[in-house]
Amino acid sequence: MHINELLAKGDLVALDAQAVRASVELADRVRPADLSRPTPCLGWTVYGLLAHMATQHYGFAAASRGDGDLSGWKLRSLGEDPVPSYRASAEHVMAAFEADGVLERRFPLPEFTSGSAFPGAQAISFHFIDYVVHSWDLAKALDVEVDFPPDLLEAALAVARAVPGGQARLAPGAAFAPALSWSGGSRLDEIVAILGRSPSWPR
């Protein structure tokens, strides 16, 4: 599948919701002792990862309504019981993306660029690949598996291959590290390696 084919198909909202629900199912497995565990996201514990994921949900939901205020992307505290707070953020973004005509809207994403807004389908593809990868991050941190259906993984691979490489991956705050060489393994392994994660983390 090519990225342009994916963006034109119109099933991105459903695919994104699958990835977000996977992250919620994993979050529901988090216990207090897990919150300080390291994750494949350098410098982030499980708590930090959940807080980042929730913040992004609210940021993208606001962007879907045309709100480009950068303050909406400020890292949120999830309090002492972060799992319900994370679940609420996931429900919020899924509801926002289900609005009529969302794929045809323009999303201002000030955390990504201060320039022009992105077409809705492209913006949701950004969110989608984030939650495929962050679900993998959370699963790795908890030492469990995350399973995605083949059609979702094919779509995620198309998005992953379209993410710019080169110096953009080395910039401060870059969403993904430079791609890693990887052979064998699963389709999900291939996706995370393209986006700078080691499929064998923490090794």
Side-chain angles (χ1 to χ4, degrees):
M1 180 185 296
H2 188 274
I3 184 63
N4 290 337
E5 178 187 356
L6 171 65
L7 295 178
K9 285 181 67 176
D11 55 1
L12 266 172
V13 171
L15 290 169
D16 180 81
Q18 284 183 271
V20 173
R21 289 191 188 101
S23 74
V24 172
E25 290 173 4
L26 289 161
D28 282 339
R29 302 177 71 163
V30 173
R31 298 296 176 260
D34 297 323
L35 293 173
S36 60
R37 286 189 180 210
T39 74
C41 297
L42 186 63
W44 287 353
T45 61
V46 166
Y47 184 97
L49 176 59
L50 290 174
H52 166 77
M53 292 162 68
T55 299
Q56 294 282 305
H57 287 326
Y58 286 114
F60 271 92
S64 77
R65 300 187 292 269
D67 183 352
D69 188 345
L70 183 58
S71 67
W73 298 79
K74 183 179 179 181
L75 188 65
R76 292 172 177 246
S77 170
L78 300 184
E80 294 183 1
D81 192 3
V83 173
S85 297
Y86 177 71
R87 192 182 308 116
S89 74
E91 295 294 339
H92 182 79
V93 76
M94 287 191 289
F97 285 178
E98 288 170 2
D100 290 342
V102 72
L103 293 176
E104 287 72 50
R105 297 179 186 177
R106 304 287 296 185
F107 283 48
L109 298 175
E111 191 180 56
F112 291 67
T113 177
S114 58
S116 301
F118 292 87
Q122 185 180 21
I124 292 176
S125 79
F126 299 161
H127 188 266
F128 165 61
I129 195 62
D130 268 356
Y131 287 86
V132 172
V133 175
H134 284 327
S135 293
W136 177 88
D137 290 332
L138 188 52
K140 281 289 188 178
L142 298 175
D143 197 23
V144 298
E145 297 294 326
V146 59
D147 293 314
F148 291 115
D151 63 327
L152 184 149
L153 291 173
E154 287 304 313
L157 181 60
V159 178
R161 286 173 170 164
V163 174
Q167 291 299 311
R169 300 279 187 97
L170 298 173
F176 300 111
L180 301 177
S181 297
W182 188 260
S183 60
S186 68
R187 181 68 83 205
L188 185 54
D189 287 344
E190 181 180 4
I191 291 164
V192 300
I194 289 171
L195 297 175
R197 268 46 166 196
S198 170
S200 62
W201 186 92
R203 298 186 299 278

